Amino acid sequence: MISEKTLNVLNKQIALEGNASAAYLAMASWCERQALKGCATFFYDQSAEERMHMMKIIHYINEMDGCAIIPEQAKPRGEYDSIQELFQIVYKQEKSVTAAIYNLLSISQEENDHSTTLFLQWYVAEQREEESQVRSILDMIKLIGSGGQSLFFIDQEVEKINQERLKEEASGEEYNQVL
Ligand code: FEO
């Protein structure tokens, strides 16, 4: 049983996660065009992750005998001034998703919806990880600086993150971290 109020906000979260997936796809494509292979891989993976976040909510709502609403897709921005600007946008976006999850959690608690409160714990941990990762990339960009050669090093550092992520996925570590 899921309350009407919680259901409405969960359905809004489906749209937020779907829009995040589309935004990261557009970013991946932009990075690919700039020959930033590491950053492109990072965002293609991130886009797939956000889609997975969206799918989890769809399945959860339907499992709880609610009706998951598949939203219209907002057209994502396709051009960016720089890789710094792009990651700043990502950070802002992740912070707004975190705020939406916290709001959702408060509503589920007010509604005594214990199942949804438990379900959302995964998202709280996932957001903490995502925000922290983007913040560390922004710090790294600040250290390396901007310019042609800097881009090469930034891309290499992001590729190292991709490799770490692959290792974590292979060992199941990522799965355990977000539980
Ligand atoms: Fe699923 Fe990064 O928000």
Side-chain angles (χ1 to χ4, degrees):
M1 176 72 192
I2 192 165
S3 80
E4 191 74 19
K5 198 172 172 187
T6 315
L7 178 62
N8 286 341
V9 195
L10 271 172
N11 267 316
K12 283 187 185 148
Q13 194 66 30
I14 292 177
L16 278 185
E17 303 289 351
N19 287 339
S21 176
Y24 291 152
L25 193 56
M27 287 173 180
S29 175
W30 181 83
C31 291
E32 202 166 44
R33 295 201 311 276
Q34 315 301 314
L36 296 166
K37 275 180 80 174
C39 292
T41 301
F42 178 84
F43 283 112
Y44 280 124
D45 288 351
Q46 205 59 36
S47 174
E49 268 209 28
E50 296 299 348
R51 185 173 191 281
M52 179 267 281
H53 296 174
M54 178 183 72
M55 295 301 293
K56 273 176 83 85
I57 303 173
I58 293 172
H59 293 316
Y60 175 73
I61 291 176
N62 292 336
E63 187 192 341
M64 295 295 285
D65 203 23
C67 177
I69 297 168
I70 310 306
E72 235 178 280
Q73 190 84 73
K75 187 176 185 295
R77 180 174 160 181
E79 296 296 331
Y80 304 91
D81 294 337
S82 64
I83 197 71
Q84 290 89 334
E85 189 210 13
L86 188 148
F87 274 104
Q88 276 157 1
I89 292 170
V90 173
Y91 190 44
K92 203 171 156 195
Q93 181 172 299
E94 286 303 333
K95 284 205 290 188
S96 76
V97 171
T98 302
I101 293 288
Y102 286 3
N103 178 50
L104 192 39
L105 194 53
S106 299
I107 291 169
S108 71
Q109 284 166 339
E110 280 163 24
E111 298 282 301
N112 285 325
D113 185 342
H114 303 300
S115 178
T116 302
T117 299
L118 186 65
F119 170 72
L120 290 171
Q121 300 306 311
W122 184 90
Y123 286 84
V124 171
E126 181 75 358
Q127 282 308 120
R128 185 191 64 227
E129 231 187 88
E130 287 193 345
E131 273 193 36
S132 156
Q133 183 170 64
V134 180
R135 218 173 24 245
S136 64
I137 291 174
L138 277 169
D139 287 344
M140 176 267 292
I141 291 174
K142 212 190 281 178
L143 275 177
I144 295 178
S146 52
Q149 278 200 333
S150 305
L151 276 179
F152 175 77
F153 291 116
I154 290 168
D155 199 51
Q156 275 195 333
E157 291 300 316
V158 174
E159 179 54 25
K160 282 184 200 163
I161 295 171
N162 297 335
Q163 294 305 320
E164 283 302 314
R165 193 189 260 180
L166 277 178
K167 267 193 250 163
E168 280 174 14
E169 279 170 8
S171 68
E173 207 176 302
E174 192 192 34
Y175 179 75
N176 291 329
Q177 271 173 10
V178 293
L179 284 179

